[in-house]
Amino acid sequence: MDCDVVNNMNAATRRTKEDKKVLKKQQKASHTLLKHEGISTTSQPTKSLVVANGGLGNGVGREDLFAAVNQFGDVESLLMPPQKPYAFVTYRFEDGARKAHAQLNGKKLQTGENSVTFYLSYVDSVKHREETLVGFPEGLTLVEDFVSLEEEALLLAAVDWSMSNEAQKALKHRRVKHYGFEFRYDNNNVDKDKPLPAGLPDECLPVLQRCLQDGLINVLPDQLTVNQYESGQGIPPHVDTHSAFDDTILSLSLGAQAVMEFRHPDGRAVPVVLPERSLMVMKGESRYLWTHGITPRKFDLVPACEPDVGSNSGLTLRKRGTRTSFTFRKIRYEPCCCAFPSACDSQEGTSLYPPSPPSLPCCHADATLLEEEYVHRVYDAIASHFSRTRHTPWPHVCHFLSSLPPGSVLVDVGCGNGKYLGVNPQLITVGCDRSSALVQICAERGFQVFVSDALSVPLRTALCDACISIAVIHHFSTLERRLAAVRELVRLLKPGGQALIYVWAYEQEYNKQKSKYLKDHDKQHNGEKSKDTTEESQESHEEPSVFTTSLVARDVKDASEMTEGRLSVHTNRTAFNSQDLLVPWHLKGRKTHGEEESSGRFSSRGEPNPDFDSSMSSDTTHSPDSKPSPSDNMCQIPGGSSVPVFHRYYHVFQQGELEQLCTQVTGIKVQTSYHDQGNWCVVLQKE
């Protein structure tokens, strides 16, 4: 047989094998879209295609995808749902869709730092739920192009980062410099009696005079904080300390744009794009009530500059550059009398209880609000000290991780400060957490982490060999949400993969043995010096290692005395008398990990101390910004110092409840269950 004929036959065979491989992966992608997104595909050609792996959630920018699909015909619409790993493209004529389907399937696209492989399928119609647009928070104004390119250059040149002094900090996540007054991160306030020798830079005066003329401010600011963020850096959600600064706050963005998220106590979130050279003005509700922060990441989801095709979702990805913010404020010398006492440190109370303890949720909306207030916002306020008391991995969890084969993919859902991500260096690990402050701590330690809700982890199905969920599911306030959290863990597992789950136990005394949680209470009651007076032992073997001294315990009422129908506040280090409750976390001697861009009531979850241990720092000054919401309050300790108290929601599990919950999920089996120092634990395997 002729050699050319043989070569052609071999080439045809290879192409056939590659085509079969692509077809198999395309069918798998279609099945995944149907199962998890409800998107039905068809084998019959249509004008519309769904592009698996071509979404914003995969790091594919709108411009790159449009360039890839537009070469095959006129594109009528391009829809890229936010955070999703797929996109929809509709051509003007069916022929364009046919060509794209034939030539793009199985092809790789290099987009920025990522390389993705497309799998296209026909769809009969494109359906996408319209996103509800939420307006700016009341009192927030954004003025684009407020300064010129020349003014921007002058302002940036006015900051001499080479000169080191006490008003300049080299923080782990950004550089910061103060003018007029230094913002102190040990107490989240300013020393109003100690102005800095140099005032605000002269280059700022024309900008501030223009703000006066335009009516944006009524008086010139006397304090400036300059923050410089590299790509991938951010700042946790916070509210500027009420007692430190007057109402209006100005923030000028220079060098690069960023997306800042504003969040209301009721859960509403508003992402605000801050373009380069824009001025943000916060007054009233936006300044006093809404938190604002920047998620640490290298790309932002932003509106496309010029939507190239008809679309109701003109979003794309923008790589972050180096952004420098100039935040101008006026020092306040009188107590704050704002209209938001629940968020005001000048108007806070002194009760150990939240002003109005919440009720158990009766619907999904109530549950999300409760968890936002009494879980998410609390951890965003206490992240730094929480991390310091969470440095010792638990032995049984370490044993599980050490038993996994080398090269296994592990996902830690609710990874906290990442203390389990480095236990077994032979694993491929990734973590996620709802708290951007804790994720930032993990990132600084070199771990691969991202911000995510445990109910919707943006990872593909059957990705990992093992999952762990340590002390997470007990923070979900309804049975349905706890069940959904287990289902999400199982979705991530490969067939045969294992999941380890820990939840706090109602039975703190089991088999006639008290947990360390109760034992530490007995030691203090008997006057013994607890090992918990050291940072090493502040972390008990159970997740919520917080306690109060007998002084505070005597002030706490029994749960039965709480308002009927509302959650009780637990007395730390005592047996539980209800399954759904609020657990106090007491703060003292704070030093913030993620100090706020302006100043902050929610600075990187703050630096709470769960103890009233007098052997610790003698600095009893509390942060005036430490009362973020009804989930935070104040109580008095000897000497008259006010100690902020946060309250975290828990559902503590009774014996057998965790196993019963897991058995409601199809396709798994409970391999083992056990009680470990005040926790109920299970190991699941996906069939």
Side-chain angles (χ1 to χ4, degrees), residues 490 493-497 662-669 685-687:
V490 174
L493 289 174
K494 297 177 182 177
C662 293
T663 55
Q664 296 183 55
V665 180
T666 57
I668 64 166
K669 62 179 179 180
Q685 184 173 43
K686 186 172 183 178
E687 296 176 345

Side-chain angles (χ1 to χ4, degrees), residues 127-178:
K127 296 179 181 178
H128 177 62
R129 181 173 57 87
E130 292 282 350
E131 296 291 331
T132 302
L133 296 178
V134 181
F136 276 8
E138 185 176 344
L140 181 68
T141 302
L142 184 66
V143 185
E144 297 190 25
D145 296 316
F146 190 77
V147 296
S148 64
L149 286 168
E150 293 76 12
E151 287 175 314
E152 178 184 40
L154 286 172
L155 289 168
L156 291 174
V159 183
D160 188 355
W161 294 106
S162 64
M163 295 180 60
S164 179
N165 55 58
E166 62 178 6
Q168 178 173 319
K169 308 289 183 182
L171 304 176
K172 290 182 179 180
H173 50 284
R174 70 182 189 278
R175 292 198 293 180
V176 61
K177 194 162 187 172
H178 304 289

Side-chain angles (χ1 to χ4, degrees), residues 46 67 162 174 186 218 227 236 245 247 299 316 343 354 387 408 413 442 446 524 529 569 582 609 615-616 643 678:
T46 67
S162 64
R174 70 182 189 278
D186 57 350
N218 298 320
N227 289 276
F245 307 108
D247 186 3
F299 290 86
T316 189
S387 176
S408 296
V413 179
C442 291
Q524 293 179 22
K529 183 173 179 61
V569 176
L582 301 177
N609 186 339
S615 68
M616 296 189 65
V643 178

Side-chain angles (χ1 to χ4, degrees), residues 138-140 215-217 247-249 281-287:
E138 185 176 344
L140 181 68
L216 299 175
I217 54 176
D247 186 3
T248 305
I249 294 175
V281 184
M282 291 190 296
K283 294 183 179 181
E285 184 176 308
S286 66
R287 178 262 186 271

Side-chain angles (χ1 to χ4, degrees), residues 91-109:
Y91 288 89
R92 191 174 302 277
F93 303 106
E94 188 179 293
D95 183 62
R98 286 175 178 268
K99 291 179 180 178
H101 186 275
Q103 299 186 45
L104 274 185
N105 247 318
K107 301 301 181 188
K108 285 189 176 181
L109 173 71

Side-chain angles (χ1 to χ4, degrees), residues 385 388-391 516 520 531-547 573 585 608-611 613 616:
H385 186 275
R388 292 209 310 273
T389 64
R390 295 300 185 276
H391 49 73
K516 190 174 184 296
D520 286 335
K531 292 185 293 183
D532 283 340
T533 55
T534 66
E535 179 180 297
E536 171 68 22
S537 57
Q538 280 180 6
E539 174 179 328
S540 299
H541 193 50
E542 75 293 333
E543 190 277 341
S545 65
V546 295
F547 65 93
R573 303 291 179 180
W585 180 291
N609 186 339
D611 310 342
D613 178 13
M616 296 189 65

Side-chain angles (χ1 to χ4, degrees), residues 56 89 108 176 248 273 332 359 566 584 642-643 663:
L56 296 167
V89 57
K108 285 189 176 181
V176 61
T248 305
V273 179
R332 182 191 295 276
S359 301
R566 296 189 177 275
S642 295
V643 178
T663 55

